[in-house]
């Protein structure tokens, strides 16, 4: 059964002239890693807020259609109940930080405290997060005195520590260096191994292609493609929706265009590209 | 001519935390330079010293031949414009127009010239239709262009772009490429800090690599991205296409799709 299902959802922000999303239907299974891609302003974050139930309650507007969590309409659930099932990591980490805690450790512990989790258990879980996201050295720092990249990791930790079944993560790596980006994707891979359902908004398609199972492309208010990552990223049509293709796919297309290779399947990951092109470069060594 | 020169420059915050440790560099007028390295390596601190937003603890900084320590930040920022990493640190006016015009009021130029410059900068930064919009009604990715336009309007000789690609989509990256190219054609020195290696390779030739508060590499991009020892030290990786070329044991120095395609036919 789908853990999360949207049925014919249309939404218009209160003061907007036009709808931002129309007739969105999708179904996400437990344990899937789904990436949402589309140009800026297309409504990816709006879609995340709809799935999390922040729309239409917190961000108001007119919405039609249904959002079902494990088969139950989320409009029948409280925002608090929803929070136990769905973790949301905001795009701007500075929005996430509570502003009431003095240290990173306390900040990450805040949600668990509110649930009344036992002290020793809180410490165990927070420590585990600090190690997993490689931010142990920040634990005594003030949450407001972090760099963009550090805040981004603390924001992620404070949601992951709650251990929700579904995670919605909106551009978690925009401020991170390459190593930090890899750590975030590796963390997501671990979450996937633990059967978490992950919905990610991310522009870095090279990374998405390496890790995600499925990609949903949004363009002009609608879902224009919903398929496996290898299918979506091999299709040059994606460029027309304002998204880039992974570097290896662009490369393979160029090689084909210039008649230098006859490979049939456009690779979307580094390994696939290597497998497809190896043995064809012997001419380069003599 | 030398635009920026650092001689043994170090910086420490008031609490004693050292952020930049004994760096020396020279950037010529008209050059395009990218600074790469991990979060916390000292990149932003280093560039903020170029226009006096931060002052070194020791060492000497020269901007177009003048000792920076003898100039105010206001004077230096007319020569060296800095576009902040987070547009929220820079924007405070009610409209895009007044935001771009703000610093111009402190230059000795008349109203007509201010208007001309605001409009030209807005056009160059794809904001011509947003002049009356409140910057905070624009998405983060577009707000970044407001901050770039503000610096462009000042007509500074050096433009520093700190993480310009964060949160940008394909169109945003295309716009940035065009802005950098235009600035370059006007003879401006363009310096960027970026984690996006494809962006760096596409738009810049000379790369400075920072790690642990120091400059550990300063060379052409083709050297930098095949110097594995250096990349390791800075916790960086080759761009994807170079990684593939390396695994296929193709010629070294391939760093982008064009290189790869032309090598592949030989």
């Amino acid at each position: 059964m789908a853990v999360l299902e949207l049925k014919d959802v249309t939404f218009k922000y209160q003061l907007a002239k036009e709808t931002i999303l129309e007739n969105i239907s999708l179904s996400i299974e437990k344990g899937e890693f789904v990436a949402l891609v589309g140009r800026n302003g297309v409504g990816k974050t709006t879609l995340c807020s709809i799935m999390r139930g922040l729309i239409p309650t917190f961000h108001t507007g007119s919405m039609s259609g249904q959002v079902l969590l494990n088969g139950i309409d989320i409009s029948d659930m409280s925002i608090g109940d929803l929070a136990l099932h769905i973790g949301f990591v905001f795009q701007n980490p500075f929005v996430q930080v509570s502003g009431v805690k003095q240290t990173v450790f306390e900040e990450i512990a805040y949600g668990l405290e509110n649930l009344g989790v036992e002290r020793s258990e809180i410490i165990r879980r927070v420590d585990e997060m600090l190690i997993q996201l490689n931010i142990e050295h920040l634990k005594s720092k003030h949450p407001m005195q972090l760099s963009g990249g550090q805040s981004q990791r603390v924001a992620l930790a404070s949601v992951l520590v709650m251990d929700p079944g579904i995670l919605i993560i909106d551009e978690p790596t925009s401020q991170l260096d390459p190593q930090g980006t890899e750590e975030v994707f590796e963390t997501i891979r671990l979450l996937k191994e633990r059967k978490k359902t992950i919905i990610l908004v991310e522009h870095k398609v090279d990374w998405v292609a390496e890790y995600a199972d499925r990609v949903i492309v949004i363009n002009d208010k609608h879902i224009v493609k919903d398929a496996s990552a290898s299918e979506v990223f091999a299709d040059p049509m994606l460029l027309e929706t304002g998204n880039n293709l992974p570097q290896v796919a662009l490369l393979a297309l160029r090689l084909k265009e210039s008649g230098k290779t006859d490979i049939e399947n456009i690779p979307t990951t580094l390994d696939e590209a290597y497998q497809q092109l190896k043995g064809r470069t012997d001419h380069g060594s003599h | 001519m030398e635009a920026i020169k650092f001689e043994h420059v170090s910086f420490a915050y008031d609490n004693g935390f050292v952020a930049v440790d004994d760096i020396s560099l020279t950037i010529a007028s008209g050059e395009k330079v990218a600074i790469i390295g991990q979060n916390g390596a000292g990149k932003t601190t280093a560039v903020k010293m170029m226009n006096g937003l931060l002052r070194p603890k020791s060492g000497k900084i020269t901007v177009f031949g003048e000792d920076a320590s003898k100039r105010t930040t206001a004077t230096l920022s007319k020569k060296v414009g800095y576009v902040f990493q987070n547009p929220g640190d820079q924007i405070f006016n009610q409209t895009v127009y007044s935001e771009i015009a703000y610093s111009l009021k402190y230059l000795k130029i008349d109203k007509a010239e201010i208007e001309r410059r605001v409009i030209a900068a807005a056009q160059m930064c794809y904001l011509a239709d947003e002049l009356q919009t409140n910057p905070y009604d624009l998405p983060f990715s577009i707000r970044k262009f407001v901050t770039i336009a503000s610096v462009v309007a000042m007509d500074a000789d050096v433009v520093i772009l700190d993480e310009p690609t964060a949160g940008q989509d394909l169109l945003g990256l295309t716009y940035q490429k065009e802005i950098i190219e235009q600035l370059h054609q006007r003879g401006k020195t363009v310096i960027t800090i970026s984690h996006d290696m494809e962006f760096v390779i596409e738009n810049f030739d000379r790369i400075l690599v920072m790690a642990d508060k120091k400059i550990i590499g300063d060379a052409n991009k083709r050297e930098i991205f095949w110097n594995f020892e250096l990349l390791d030290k800075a916790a960086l990786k080759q761009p994807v296409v170079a990684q593939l070329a390396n695994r296929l044991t193709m010629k070294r120095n391939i760093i982008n799709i064009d290189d790869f395609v032309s090598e592949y036919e030989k």
Side-chain angles (χ1 to χ4, degrees), chain A residues 185-210:
Chain A
F185 275 93
E186 280 298 310
T187 301
I188 295 175
R189 195 179 55 78
L190 272 177
L191 295 168
K192 193 175 138 54
E193 277 171 14
R194 293 180 194 166
K195 300 282 175 261
K196 302 291 181 191
T197 305
I198 295 136
I199 297 152
L200 173 76
V201 176
E202 178 63 67
H203 286 299
K204 294 177 183 168
V205 290
D206 292 283
W207 288 97
V208 175
E210 295 285 341

PDB file of all heavy atoms in Angstrom, chain A residues 185-210:
ATOM      1  N   PHE A 185      24.051  12.680   1.097  1.00  0.00           N
ATOM      2  CA  PHE A 185      23.495  11.602   0.271  1.00  0.00           C
ATOM      3  C   PHE A 185      23.760  10.229   0.887  1.00  0.00           C
ATOM      4  O   PHE A 185      22.920   9.334   0.813  1.00  0.00           O
ATOM      5  CB  PHE A 185      24.023  11.690  -1.170  1.00  0.00           C
ATOM      6  CG  PHE A 185      23.204  12.627  -2.012  1.00  0.00           C
ATOM      7  CD1 PHE A 185      23.561  13.959  -2.138  1.00  0.00           C
ATOM      8  CD2 PHE A 185      22.050  12.193  -2.656  1.00  0.00           C
ATOM      9  CE1 PHE A 185      22.790  14.843  -2.893  1.00  0.00           C
ATOM     10  CE2 PHE A 185      21.275  13.057  -3.403  1.00  0.00           C
ATOM     11  CZ  PHE A 185      21.648  14.385  -3.528  1.00  0.00           C
ATOM     12  N   GLU A 186      24.916  10.071   1.524  1.00  0.00           N
ATOM     13  CA  GLU A 186      25.196   8.806   2.198  1.00  0.00           C
ATOM     14  C   GLU A 186      24.241   8.601   3.374  1.00  0.00           C
ATOM     15  O   GLU A 186      23.802   7.479   3.642  1.00  0.00           O
ATOM     16  CB  GLU A 186      26.660   8.745   2.664  1.00  0.00           C
ATOM     17  CG  GLU A 186      27.629   8.388   1.539  1.00  0.00           C
ATOM     18  CD  GLU A 186      27.345   7.000   0.947  1.00  0.00           C
ATOM     19  OE1 GLU A 186      27.225   6.027   1.707  1.00  0.00           O
ATOM     20  OE2 GLU A 186      27.222   6.893  -0.295  1.00  0.00           O
ATOM     21  N   THR A 187      23.925   9.699   4.075  1.00  0.00           N
ATOM     22  CA  THR A 187      22.961   9.619   5.178  1.00  0.00           C
ATOM     23  C   THR A 187      21.598   9.198   4.641  1.00  0.00           C
ATOM     24  O   THR A 187      20.924   8.343   5.216  1.00  0.00           O
ATOM     25  CB  THR A 187      22.845  10.981   5.886  1.00  0.00           C
ATOM     26  OG1 THR A 187      24.135  11.334   6.369  1.00  0.00           O
ATOM     27  CG2 THR A 187      21.869  10.922   7.056  1.00  0.00           C
ATOM     28  N   ILE A 188      21.221   9.778   3.521  1.00  0.00           N
ATOM     29  CA  ILE A 188      19.931   9.419   2.927  1.00  0.00           C
ATOM     30  C   ILE A 188      19.929   7.938   2.516  1.00  0.00           C
ATOM     31  O   ILE A 188      18.950   7.229   2.695  1.00  0.00           O
ATOM     32  CB  ILE A 188      19.602  10.336   1.720  1.00  0.00           C
ATOM     33  CG1 ILE A 188      19.415  11.786   2.205  1.00  0.00           C
ATOM     34  CG2 ILE A 188      18.343   9.855   1.003  1.00  0.00           C
ATOM     35  CD1 ILE A 188      19.215  12.804   1.098  1.00  0.00           C
ATOM     36  N   ARG A 189      21.082   7.476   2.029  1.00  0.00           N
ATOM     37  CA  ARG A 189      21.177   6.057   1.640  1.00  0.00           C
ATOM     38  C   ARG A 189      20.975   5.146   2.867  1.00  0.00           C
ATOM     39  O   ARG A 189      20.278   4.138   2.796  1.00  0.00           O
ATOM     40  CB  ARG A 189      22.533   5.789   0.999  1.00  0.00           C
ATOM     41  CG  ARG A 189      22.609   4.471   0.229  1.00  0.00           C
ATOM     42  CD  ARG A 189      23.978   4.265  -0.400  1.00  0.00           C
ATOM     43  NE  ARG A 189      25.053   4.361   0.570  1.00  0.00           N
ATOM     44  CZ  ARG A 189      25.387   3.411   1.429  1.00  0.00           C
ATOM     45  NH1 ARG A 189      24.750   2.271   1.431  1.00  0.00           N
ATOM     46  NH2 ARG A 189      26.368   3.597   2.285  1.00  0.00           N
ATOM     47  N   LEU A 190      21.575   5.557   3.992  1.00  0.00           N
ATOM     48  CA  LEU A 190      21.385   4.802   5.242  1.00  0.00           C
ATOM     49  C   LEU A 190      19.914   4.765   5.652  1.00  0.00           C
ATOM     50  O   LEU A 190      19.392   3.741   6.082  1.00  0.00           O
ATOM     51  CB  LEU A 190      22.157   5.474   6.381  1.00  0.00           C
ATOM     52  CG  LEU A 190      23.607   5.078   6.598  1.00  0.00           C
ATOM     53  CD1 LEU A 190      24.204   5.916   7.729  1.00  0.00           C
ATOM     54  CD2 LEU A 190      23.672   3.599   6.974  1.00  0.00           C
ATOM     55  N   LEU A 191      19.256   5.929   5.501  1.00  0.00           N
ATOM     56  CA  LEU A 191      17.838   6.022   5.862  1.00  0.00           C
ATOM     57  C   LEU A 191      17.007   5.088   4.988  1.00  0.00           C
ATOM     58  O   LEU A 191      16.063   4.455   5.432  1.00  0.00           O
ATOM     59  CB  LEU A 191      17.341   7.455   5.696  1.00  0.00           C
ATOM     60  CG  LEU A 191      17.976   8.467   6.637  1.00  0.00           C
ATOM     61  CD1 LEU A 191      17.640   9.883   6.184  1.00  0.00           C
ATOM     62  CD2 LEU A 191      17.486   8.237   8.059  1.00  0.00           C
ATOM     63  N   LYS A 192      17.408   5.011   3.730  1.00  0.00           N
ATOM     64  CA  LYS A 192      16.706   4.152   2.797  1.00  0.00           C
ATOM     65  C   LYS A 192      16.878   2.681   3.205  1.00  0.00           C
ATOM     66  O   LYS A 192      15.934   1.905   3.162  1.00  0.00           O
ATOM     67  CB  LYS A 192      17.253   4.388   1.399  1.00  0.00           C
ATOM     68  CG  LYS A 192      16.415   3.792   0.305  1.00  0.00           C
ATOM     69  CD  LYS A 192      16.968   4.185  -1.046  1.00  0.00           C
ATOM     70  CE  LYS A 192      16.938   3.001  -1.999  1.00  0.00           C
ATOM     71  NZ  LYS A 192      15.632   2.381  -2.143  1.00  0.00           N
ATOM     72  N   GLU A 193      18.091   2.346   3.649  1.00  0.00           N
ATOM     73  CA  GLU A 193      18.324   0.976   4.123  1.00  0.00           C
ATOM     74  C   GLU A 193      17.440   0.658   5.310  1.00  0.00           C
ATOM     75  O   GLU A 193      17.040  -0.480   5.515  1.00  0.00           O
ATOM     76  CB  GLU A 193      19.798   0.791   4.513  1.00  0.00           C
ATOM     77  CG  GLU A 193      20.674   0.479   3.315  1.00  0.00           C
ATOM     78  CD  GLU A 193      22.152   0.508   3.658  1.00  0.00           C
ATOM     79  OE1 GLU A 193      22.494   0.497   4.864  1.00  0.00           O
ATOM     80  OE2 GLU A 193      22.968   0.561   2.716  1.00  0.00           O
ATOM     81  N   ARG A 194      17.152   1.692   6.097  1.00  0.00           N
ATOM     82  CA  ARG A 194      16.255   1.484   7.243  1.00  0.00           C
ATOM     83  C   ARG A 194      14.788   1.587   6.841  1.00  0.00           C
ATOM     84  O   ARG A 194      13.939   1.811   7.678  1.00  0.00           O
ATOM     85  CB  ARG A 194      16.558   2.516   8.332  1.00  0.00           C
ATOM     86  CG  ARG A 194      17.911   2.342   8.957  1.00  0.00           C
ATOM     87  CD  ARG A 194      18.131   3.400  10.012  1.00  0.00           C
ATOM     88  NE  ARG A 194      19.524   3.472  10.387  1.00  0.00           N
ATOM     89  CZ  ARG A 194      20.058   4.461  11.087  1.00  0.00           C
ATOM     90  NH1 ARG A 194      19.288   5.480  11.472  1.00  0.00           N
ATOM     91  NH2 ARG A 194      21.336   4.455  11.394  1.00  0.00           N
ATOM     92  N   LYS A 195      14.526   1.498   5.569  1.00  0.00           N
ATOM     93  CA  LYS A 195      13.155   1.452   5.033  1.00  0.00           C
ATOM     94  C   LYS A 195      12.386   2.763   5.189  1.00  0.00           C
ATOM     95  O   LYS A 195      11.167   2.792   5.224  1.00  0.00           O
ATOM     96  CB  LYS A 195      12.345   0.303   5.667  1.00  0.00           C
ATOM     97  CG  LYS A 195      12.956  -1.071   5.426  1.00  0.00           C
ATOM     98  CD  LYS A 195      12.647  -1.569   4.023  1.00  0.00           C
ATOM     99  CE  LYS A 195      13.342  -2.878   3.719  1.00  0.00           C
ATOM    100  NZ  LYS A 195      14.583  -2.737   2.948  1.00  0.00           N
ATOM    101  N   LYS A 196      13.111   3.862   5.347  1.00  0.00           N
ATOM    102  CA  LYS A 196      12.432   5.154   5.396  1.00  0.00           C
ATOM    103  C   LYS A 196      12.014   5.544   3.981  1.00  0.00           C
ATOM    104  O   LYS A 196      12.676   5.180   3.004  1.00  0.00           O
ATOM    105  CB  LYS A 196      13.383   6.239   5.921  1.00  0.00           C
ATOM    106  CG  LYS A 196      13.954   5.966   7.279  1.00  0.00           C
ATOM    107  CD  LYS A 196      12.902   6.061   8.340  1.00  0.00           C
ATOM    108  CE  LYS A 196      13.518   5.802   9.709  1.00  0.00           C
ATOM    109  NZ  LYS A 196      12.488   5.622  10.734  1.00  0.00           N
ATOM    110  N   THR A 197      10.944   6.300   3.907  1.00  0.00           N
ATOM    111  CA  THR A 197      10.499   6.824   2.621  1.00  0.00           C
ATOM    112  C   THR A 197      11.078   8.230   2.486  1.00  0.00           C
ATOM    113  O   THR A 197      10.966   9.029   3.415  1.00  0.00           O
ATOM    114  CB  THR A 197       8.958   6.880   2.590  1.00  0.00           C
ATOM    115  OG1 THR A 197       8.474   5.578   2.900  1.00  0.00           O
ATOM    116  CG2 THR A 197       8.449   7.336   1.231  1.00  0.00           C
ATOM    117  N   ILE A 198      11.698   8.517   1.367  1.00  0.00           N
ATOM    118  CA  ILE A 198      12.381   9.806   1.238  1.00  0.00           C
ATOM    119  C   ILE A 198      11.912  10.567   0.000  1.00  0.00           C
ATOM    120  O   ILE A 198      11.860  10.020  -1.104  1.00  0.00           O
ATOM    121  CB  ILE A 198      13.911   9.607   1.180  1.00  0.00           C
ATOM    122  CG1 ILE A 198      14.387   9.032   2.519  1.00  0.00           C
ATOM    123  CG2 ILE A 198      14.634  10.927   0.924  1.00  0.00           C
ATOM    124  CD1 ILE A 198      15.357   7.934   2.362  1.00  0.00           C
ATOM    125  N   ILE A 199      11.574  11.827   0.235  1.00  0.00           N
ATOM    126  CA  ILE A 199      11.186  12.711  -0.861  1.00  0.00           C
ATOM    127  C   ILE A 199      12.162  13.881  -0.837  1.00  0.00           C
ATOM    128  O   ILE A 199      12.272  14.588   0.170  1.00  0.00           O
ATOM    129  CB  ILE A 199       9.731  13.192  -0.683  1.00  0.00           C
ATOM    130  CG1 ILE A 199       8.795  11.957  -0.735  1.00  0.00           C
ATOM    131  CG2 ILE A 199       9.349  14.207  -1.759  1.00  0.00           C
ATOM    132  CD1 ILE A 199       7.538  12.134   0.050  1.00  0.00           C
ATOM    133  N   LEU A 200      12.899  14.049  -1.917  1.00  0.00           N
ATOM    134  CA  LEU A 200      13.991  15.022  -1.921  1.00  0.00           C
ATOM    135  C   LEU A 200      13.826  16.020  -3.061  1.00  0.00           C
ATOM    136  O   LEU A 200      13.568  15.632  -4.199  1.00  0.00           O
ATOM    137  CB  LEU A 200      15.315  14.261  -2.108  1.00  0.00           C
ATOM    138  CG  LEU A 200      16.575  15.105  -2.317  1.00  0.00           C
ATOM    139  CD1 LEU A 200      17.026  15.708  -0.990  1.00  0.00           C
ATOM    140  CD2 LEU A 200      17.699  14.264  -2.904  1.00  0.00           C
ATOM    141  N   VAL A 201      14.008  17.300  -2.739  1.00  0.00           N
ATOM    142  CA  VAL A 201      14.088  18.323  -3.788  1.00  0.00           C
ATOM    143  C   VAL A 201      15.566  18.658  -3.936  1.00  0.00           C
ATOM    144  O   VAL A 201      16.237  18.956  -2.943  1.00  0.00           O
ATOM    145  CB  VAL A 201      13.310  19.599  -3.391  1.00  0.00           C
ATOM    146  CG1 VAL A 201      13.497  20.683  -4.438  1.00  0.00           C
ATOM    147  CG2 VAL A 201      11.837  19.293  -3.212  1.00  0.00           C
ATOM    148  N   GLU A 202      16.094  18.583  -5.141  1.00  0.00           N
ATOM    149  CA  GLU A 202      17.534  18.793  -5.298  1.00  0.00           C
ATOM    150  C   GLU A 202      17.857  19.156  -6.752  1.00  0.00           C
ATOM    151  O   GLU A 202      17.364  18.520  -7.675  1.00  0.00           O
ATOM    152  CB  GLU A 202      18.262  17.503  -4.891  1.00  0.00           C
ATOM    153  CG  GLU A 202      19.759  17.519  -5.024  1.00  0.00           C
ATOM    154  CD  GLU A 202      20.457  18.529  -4.136  1.00  0.00           C
ATOM    155  OE1 GLU A 202      20.439  18.368  -2.907  1.00  0.00           O
ATOM    156  OE2 GLU A 202      21.014  19.508  -4.675  1.00  0.00           O
ATOM    157  N   HIS A 203      18.704  20.186  -6.907  1.00  0.00           N
ATOM    158  CA  HIS A 203      19.127  20.572  -8.256  1.00  0.00           C
ATOM    159  C   HIS A 203      20.349  19.796  -8.738  1.00  0.00           C
ATOM    160  O   HIS A 203      20.652  19.794  -9.924  1.00  0.00           O
ATOM    161  CB  HIS A 203      19.502  22.053  -8.289  1.00  0.00           C
ATOM    162  CG  HIS A 203      18.322  22.968  -8.239  1.00  0.00           C
ATOM    163  ND1 HIS A 203      17.343  22.955  -9.201  1.00  0.00           N
ATOM    164  CD2 HIS A 203      17.948  23.914  -7.357  1.00  0.00           C
ATOM    165  CE1 HIS A 203      16.425  23.863  -8.907  1.00  0.00           C
ATOM    166  NE2 HIS A 203      16.767  24.450  -7.786  1.00  0.00           N
ATOM    167  N   LYS A 204      21.085  19.198  -7.799  1.00  0.00           N
ATOM    168  CA  LYS A 204      22.337  18.542  -8.199  1.00  0.00           C
ATOM    169  C   LYS A 204      22.018  17.173  -8.798  1.00  0.00           C
ATOM    170  O   LYS A 204      22.057  16.143  -8.128  1.00  0.00           O
ATOM    171  CB  LYS A 204      23.265  18.410  -6.989  1.00  0.00           C
ATOM    172  CG  LYS A 204      23.734  19.760  -6.461  1.00  0.00           C
ATOM    173  CD  LYS A 204      24.583  19.621  -5.218  1.00  0.00           C
ATOM    174  CE  LYS A 204      24.972  20.990  -4.674  1.00  0.00           C
ATOM    175  NZ  LYS A 204      25.558  20.919  -3.327  1.00  0.00           N
ATOM    176  N   VAL A 205      21.712  17.178 -10.096  1.00  0.00           N
ATOM    177  CA  VAL A 205      21.213  15.961 -10.740  1.00  0.00           C
ATOM    178  C   VAL A 205      22.245  14.840 -10.799  1.00  0.00           C
ATOM    179  O   VAL A 205      21.876  13.665 -10.822  1.00  0.00           O
ATOM    180  CB  VAL A 205      20.663  16.232 -12.164  1.00  0.00           C
ATOM    181  CG1 VAL A 205      19.365  17.022 -12.100  1.00  0.00           C
ATOM    182  CG2 VAL A 205      21.685  16.934 -13.034  1.00  0.00           C
ATOM    183  N   ASP A 206      23.538  15.201 -10.801  1.00  0.00           N
ATOM    184  CA  ASP A 206      24.548  14.134 -10.821  1.00  0.00           C
ATOM    185  C   ASP A 206      24.417  13.256  -9.575  1.00  0.00           C
ATOM    186  O   ASP A 206      24.544  12.042  -9.644  1.00  0.00           O
ATOM    187  CB  ASP A 206      25.956  14.729 -10.898  1.00  0.00           C
ATOM    188  CG  ASP A 206      26.186  15.394 -12.243  1.00  0.00           C
ATOM    189  OD1 ASP A 206      26.410  14.678 -13.214  1.00  0.00           O
ATOM    190  OD2 ASP A 206      26.097  16.637 -12.308  1.00  0.00           O
ATOM    191  N   TRP A 207      24.143  13.911  -8.464  1.00  0.00           N
ATOM    192  CA  TRP A 207      23.972  13.162  -7.206  1.00  0.00           C
ATOM    193  C   TRP A 207      22.644  12.421  -7.195  1.00  0.00           C
ATOM    194  O   TRP A 207      22.574  11.273  -6.758  1.00  0.00           O
ATOM    195  CB  TRP A 207      24.041  14.124  -6.011  1.00  0.00           C
ATOM    196  CG  TRP A 207      25.417  14.625  -5.772  1.00  0.00           C
ATOM    197  CD1 TRP A 207      25.948  15.811  -6.191  1.00  0.00           C
ATOM    198  CD2 TRP A 207      26.467  13.943  -5.075  1.00  0.00           C
ATOM    199  NE1 TRP A 207      27.252  15.908  -5.794  1.00  0.00           N
ATOM    200  CE2 TRP A 207      27.598  14.785  -5.106  1.00  0.00           C
ATOM    201  CE3 TRP A 207      26.557  12.707  -4.428  1.00  0.00           C
ATOM    202  CZ2 TRP A 207      28.812  14.428  -4.518  1.00  0.00           C
ATOM    203  CZ3 TRP A 207      27.758  12.351  -3.838  1.00  0.00           C
ATOM    204  CH2 TRP A 207      28.870  13.214  -3.885  1.00  0.00           C
ATOM    205  N   VAL A 208      21.601  13.087  -7.632  1.00  0.00           N
ATOM    206  CA  VAL A 208      20.278  12.458  -7.627  1.00  0.00           C
ATOM    207  C   VAL A 208      20.320  11.188  -8.469  1.00  0.00           C
ATOM    208  O   VAL A 208      19.805  10.136  -8.077  1.00  0.00           O
ATOM    209  CB  VAL A 208      19.193  13.430  -8.160  1.00  0.00           C
ATOM    210  CG1 VAL A 208      17.845  12.721  -8.259  1.00  0.00           C
ATOM    211  CG2 VAL A 208      19.077  14.652  -7.258  1.00  0.00           C
ATOM    212  N   ALA A 209      20.964  11.269  -9.636  1.00  0.00           N
ATOM    213  CA  ALA A 209      21.036  10.120 -10.539  1.00  0.00           C
ATOM    214  C   ALA A 209      21.745   8.937  -9.873  1.00  0.00           C
ATOM    215  O   ALA A 209      21.402   7.786 -10.095  1.00  0.00           O
ATOM    216  CB  ALA A 209      21.749  10.504 -11.833  1.00  0.00           C
ATOM    217  N   GLU A 210      22.734   9.230  -9.054  1.00  0.00           N
ATOM    218  CA  GLU A 210      23.486   8.156  -8.388  1.00  0.00           C
ATOM    219  C   GLU A 210      22.664   7.474  -7.291  1.00  0.00           C
ATOM    220  O   GLU A 210      22.869   6.310  -7.004  1.00  0.00           O
ATOM    221  CB  GLU A 210      24.780   8.702  -7.750  1.00  0.00           C
ATOM    222  CG  GLU A 210      25.817   9.241  -8.735  1.00  0.00           C
ATOM    223  CD  GLU A 210      26.576   8.152  -9.495  1.00  0.00           C
ATOM    224  OE1 GLU A 210      26.591   6.989  -9.041  1.00  0.00           O
ATOM    225  OE2 GLU A 210      27.151   8.486 -10.555  1.00  0.00           O
TER     226      GLU A 210
END
